[in-house]
Amino acid sequence: NLFRRLSAPYYRAVADRLHASGKFLAAHLDGRARGLLGCLRECEVDIADALTPEPTGDLDAAGMREEAGDGMILSGGISTFHWLQASERDFTAHAKSWLAQKERTPRLIMSDGDQTPPGTPWERIRLLGRIVEERGRFERPGEPMAGSNPRAFHAGSLSAENPAEVK
């Protein structure tokens, strides 16, 4: 496709260079992500930022995770529609569906970023805070969190465990 032909070589080169320096690569997406998340995964992009699930975007939370795979951090989670137009019940279900993806992998961030539209009621924002407090924790008493080593994304290109060793 067009991305693979024209953009992928650039993304791969940037990812290789950043990973060789001990850094990570994030891509800010917004909106439609179908097909793009898989391409970014192939390019070894570490973080897909500003992901917008349905109905504003074209994938639900589970579809985004499936296409991105388990290694990529997904950041986002609330469609613009849900901030202003959804019922409290639908908003809650939407937020919980995003947070449910942490059961597959902890590489998940609930982040609204630039998706909160002007006029969003403060109560809706507070509701998201309560949902995250209730459903967004990763604690596993007595054992380290799976995937807690941030350098584990690209074991082949990031071998140094000590950041001082990465040039």
Side-chain angles (χ1 to χ4, degrees):
N1 71 21
L2 195 60
F3 180 89
R4 282 188 174 96
R5 191 164 45 93
L6 299 177
S7 297
Y10 170 78
Y11 274 84
R12 277 191 204 102
V14 170
D16 288 346
R17 191 168 194 176
L18 289 172
H19 295 155
S21 312
K23 295 176 175 57
F24 302 106
L25 176 59
H28 184 98
L29 302 182
D30 276 327
R32 297 177 175 271
R34 185 181 309 276
L36 184 56
L37 284 169
C39 291
L40 293 174
R41 181 186 69 233
E42 292 168 12
C43 294
E44 296 190 23
V45 169
D46 302 294
I47 304 164
D49 180 46
L51 288 173
T52 311
E54 292 176 331
T56 309
D58 59 351
L59 290 168
D60 63 10
M64 288 179 178
R65 174 48 71 201
E66 187 62 34
E67 190 168 318
D70 291 347
M72 186 183 294
I73 293 174
L74 303 183
S75 177
I78 303 291
S79 79
T80 306
F81 168 84
H82 282 85
W83 282 115
L84 294 175
Q85 298 172 335
S87 67
E88 183 174 315
R89 179 179 173 186
D90 289 346
F91 179 87
T92 299
H94 185 70
K96 287 179 178 179
S97 73
W98 181 263
L99 292 171
Q101 301 314 303
K102 72 182 176 60
E103 302 306 320
R104 179 168 167 176
T105 173
R107 299 185 190 288
L108 184 78
I109 299 170
M110 170 62 82
S111 170
D112 186 51
D114 61 355
Q115 300 291 321
T116 306
T120 298
W122 279 106
E123 185 50 40
R124 187 58 53 108
I125 296 168
R126 286 186 201 101
L127 173 60
L128 181 59
R130 290 191 301 272
I131 295 166
V132 169
E133 282 295 318
E134 174 190 317
R135 299 285 179 111
R137 298 199 180 271
F138 287 98
E139 291 120 43
R140 295 182 184 146
E143 63 182 67
M145 185 176 83
S148 61
N149 179 356
R151 297 198 174 279
F153 291 113
H154 299 281
S157 61
L158 297 176
S159 59
E161 289 298 313
N162 181 346
E165 295 175 17
V166 178
K167 304 244 187 277

